[in-house]
Amino acid sequence: MSADIVTANEIRQRFASAMSDMYQAEVPQYGALLTLVAEVNRDTLAADPALAARLEASGELSRLDVERHGAIRVGTAEELATLRRLFAVMGMFPVGYYDLSEAGVPVHSTAFRPIDESALSHNPFRLFTSLLRLDLIEDAELRDLASDILSQRDIFTPGVRELIAIHEAEGGLTDAQADRFVAEALETFRWHHDATVDRATYDRLHAAHRLIADVVCFRGPHINHLTPRTLDIDEAQRRMPAHGMTPKAVIEGPPRRQVPILLRQTSFKALEETTHFLGADQGAHTARFGEIEQRGIALTPKGRALYDRLLAESREATKGLDNEAHQRRLAEVFADFPDDDSVLRREGLAYFHYRAVAELDDGAGLEQWIAAGKVVADPLTYEDFLPVSAAGIFQSNLGGEASAVTQGNANREAFELALGASVIDELDQYARRERASLAALGVDA
Ligand code: OOG
Ligand code: NI
C-alpha cells in the first residue's frame, strides 16, 4: 500500500458529507430538518448537563452532529452485489436481514454500516438498502416487464466500477482516488426528474405497488431520505409544524423512557415531484421524504423478545390514536419493561460498554467496582433498524393502498445469494463489543 492511502473512515466521512450536501440541494426541507434537530439537540444538552457529560465521556457527542442514516431501494441482484463492494470501500458492511413483505412491502433489506467501535464513533453513517422482490408480484407479465426494464440500466458509473476494483486490488485508495470515488459514487444516488419509461408503463407498475414504480422507472436508486439523530424526538415532533413540516401521525418504536431503548422515528410525508415520462407526458412521483430518529440502548435477545411482545400487545390498544394518546397507551404497556440502567444490566436486557475510571484493585469483581464508582457501564447505542418501524415509515409514505403483493415470506437465503455474502448478525456485534470492553478490564464474560 502506498503512503497516502486514505482510511475507510475518512472516505465514509467525505461520502456522508457529500451525500448530505446533495440531498440538501435536492430537498430543501431536509435543510430545515437539520436546523430543527440541531436546535432540539442544543436545547436538550443545555437542559441536561448530566446527559451531555455522559455522551461526551462515551464518545457519542462528537458523532452526533454528523450522524445520519439514509435509504435506497434497488431492483436486481447485480445492483445489490455491486453496492456491497462499493460500501466496503467506505468500511460499511451488510448488517441484519429485514423482511418487509410481512407488512405488504415487496422488499427485503439490510443496513450497510460500520461495525467497529472506532469506526462507529468516527462516523456511523448507515444506509438502509432494500432489494425489490419481483417474486412477490403476482402478475407474471408485469414481473417480466419490470425485470426487462431493470436489465437495461446500469446504476453505476464506469469510474466508480474502476475505483472499486482498484480498492479491491490495492487494499485502499489514495487521497485523489478517494475524492474521485466519492464524486462518482454520489452519481448512483442522485435524483432524476426523467423516468426511463412512458406514462402507461409507470401507471401499470404503480398500480401493482407504488414502490415497484419507484424502483423500476428511474435511472438509479435515488436516496429517498437522510435522517439526523435527535436527543429528544418528542420535542422534535412538537416543533416540526413551526418549521413548516407535517409530521406523520405517530412516532414509531418504543415510548419515551428514562433510559431510551432501541430506536424511535418520525417522518414528514414524501413530496410530490414533477416527473417527465418518455413521450413527453408529465406527472408526479412521490418518493422522497424526511425523517428524524432518536437512538437508545441496544437490547439483548431477552430484551428484544420483551420489546417485541410488548409492541405486539400495544398494537390493538393504540390503533387509531393520535400521537399523544398513542404514546400514553404505549407507555402504560411498556411499564413492564424495566427503565433503570442497573436493572437493565443486571437482568441481562441490554448491552453495555464497560470502562475503568479509577485504578482497579485485584480481588474485587465487576459488581464491586461498579458499586465503588471505579467502573462505569455506558449503554451501547442501537446502531440498527426495526422492521415494524421501517414498515410504518414505508407505509406512511406509500399510502395505505391495497397491493397485489404476496405477504409474509422472508427469504434470507435469496437475499444473501443476491448480495453475494452473508449478512452480519447485529446481536453478535453488540455482544462482541460488550465482551471486548470487559476483557479490557480483565473480566472474562
Ligand atoms: C426505507 C424505510 C425504512 C427506517 O428508518 O426504518 C427506514 C425506505 O423507505 O426505503 O428508512
Ligand atoms: Ni429511515
Side-chain angles (χ1 to χ4, degrees):
M1 283 206 321
S2 79
D4 72 333
I5 283 289
V6 180
T7 62
N9 284 347
E10 175 58 26
I11 306 177
R12 183 172 67 262
Q13 171 71 40
R14 290 183 198 175
F15 178 75
S17 158
M19 192 86 133
S20 187
D21 290 347
M22 180 175 84
Y23 200 57
Q24 204 161 334
E26 287 181 353
V27 179
Q29 290 91 326
Y30 167 65
L33 201 69
L34 292 182
T35 306
L36 164 66
V37 167
E39 253 176 55
V40 170
N41 289 354
R42 199 187 51 224
D43 295 352
T44 307
L45 290 168
D48 189 349
L51 174 69
R54 188 179 67 64
L55 292 175
E56 170 81 62
S58 65
E60 292 257 319
L61 204 54
S62 60
R63 75 181 222 187
L64 189 66
D65 289 340
V66 296
E67 180 154 358
R68 310 269 187 275
H69 86 250
I72 52 173
R73 306 154 181 170
V74 293
T76 69
E78 198 275 327
E79 291 174 356
L80 183 67
T82 305
L83 281 179
R84 174 177 58 77
R85 296 169 54 215
L86 182 154
F87 289 129
V89 173
M90 300 187 269
M92 297 161 75
F93 305 100
V95 180
Y97 172 75
Y98 302 89
D99 166 34
L100 278 304
S101 73
E102 201 65 58
V105 183
V107 302
H108 43 189
S109 319
T110 191
F112 287 99
R113 67 165 177 86
I115 52 183
D116 286 341
E117 205 74 51
S118 66
L120 285 164
S121 66
H122 194 89
N123 186 322
F125 186 64
R126 11 177 134 68
L127 269 178
F128 191 87
T129 302
S130 299
L131 175 65
L132 180 63
R133 291 185 65 183
L134 290 176
D135 59 308
L136 298 184
I137 302 181
E138 279 153 17
D139 176 345
E141 201 188 311
L142 201 63
R143 211 159 50 220
D144 291 346
L145 174 66
S147 78
D148 207 46
I149 299 168
L150 285 169
S151 72
Q152 290 166 37
R153 73 178 187 183
D154 185 353
I155 66 172
F156 302 101
T157 66
V160 87
R161 286 184 183 277
E162 184 197 325
L163 287 157
I164 293 169
I166 291 174
H167 179 270
E168 288 171 350
E170 310 283 322
L173 297 180
T174 63
D175 189 60
Q177 287 170 338
D179 280 339
R180 242 179 72 221
F181 171 83
V182 168
E184 298 273 350
L186 212 57
E187 290 308 309
T188 296
F189 307 106
R190 192 181 288 288
W191 172 250
H192 301 282
H193 291 278
D194 299 330
T196 56
V197 299
D198 60 24
R199 179 72 204 236
T201 306
Y202 176 90
D203 287 345
R204 268 186 78 192
L205 293 165
H206 190 277
H209 200 291
R210 199 191 292 200
L211 194 114
I212 301 171
D214 183 56
V215 175
V216 173
C217 302
F218 294 87
R219 288 223 306 275
H222 35 255
I223 175 92
N224 68 51
H225 64 286
L226 267 186
T227 301
R229 176 176 169 193
T230 181
L231 296 172
D232 186 344
I233 200 163
D234 300 289
E235 189 54 31
Q237 173 101 352
R238 272 193 290 277
R239 292 191 198 177
M240 276 167 82
H243 286 254
M245 292 168 251
T246 309
K248 78 187 274 301
V250 299
I251 297 173
E252 297 287 344
R256 188 181 184 87
R257 322 272 301 163
Q258 292 299 325
V259 183
I261 56 173
L262 297 173
L263 174 64
R264 303 180 71 206
Q265 292 164 289
T266 186
S267 59
F268 66 76
K269 281 228 162 120
L271 320 165
E272 288 213 341
E273 295 172 287
T274 307
T275 302
H276 307 278
F277 296 100
L278 281 187
D281 276 337
Q282 265 201 21
H285 180 67
T286 351
R288 300 186 309 157
F289 61 98
E291 186 191 43
I292 301 175
E293 67 182 14
Q294 178 172 6
R295 291 189 173 264
I297 193 167
L299 301 182
T300 61
K302 181 180 171 194
R304 181 55 185 268
L306 181 57
Y307 170 77
D308 286 338
R309 179 167 72 71
L310 296 176
L311 192 73
E313 250 174 66
S314 71
R315 221 182 164 79
E316 276 308 306
T318 56
K319 214 172 219 158
L321 298 180
D322 67 16
N323 188 50
E324 233 173 85
H326 174 100
Q327 296 300 330
R328 248 194 332 268
R329 271 308 278 133
L330 201 60
E332 285 162 18
V333 176
F334 272 77
D336 286 347
F337 204 113
D339 192 12
D340 172 286
D341 313 32
S342 60
V343 180
L344 289 168
R345 198 172 60 74
R346 284 198 306 265
E347 293 192 4
L349 292 166
Y351 290 111
F352 290 84
H353 181 276
Y354 297 86
R355 64 190 158 91
V357 290
E359 185 88 34
L360 301 183
D361 37 336
D362 285 339
L366 182 65
E367 290 306 320
Q368 284 108 315
W369 289 331
I370 291 172
K374 292 181 173 176
V375 167
V376 174
D378 292 312
L380 267 185
T381 298
Y382 189 60
E383 307 288 352
D384 294 289
F385 294 87
L386 296 170
V388 174
S389 300
I393 301 280
F394 266 111
Q395 266 148 4
S396 84
N397 287 297
L398 296 169
E401 79 259 52
S403 65
V405 162
T406 312
Q407 304 214 346
N409 57 16
N411 193 343
R412 179 172 169 159
E413 290 69 33
F415 186 82
E416 291 182 330
L417 197 66
L419 182 67
S422 308
V423 299
I424 297 166
D425 183 296
E426 67 276 22
L427 294 172
D428 287 351
Q429 293 304 313
Y430 299 113
R432 175 183 63 79
R433 289 169 55 206
E434 182 176 88
R435 270 197 316 273
S437 74
L438 285 169
L441 306 181
V443 177
D444 329 307

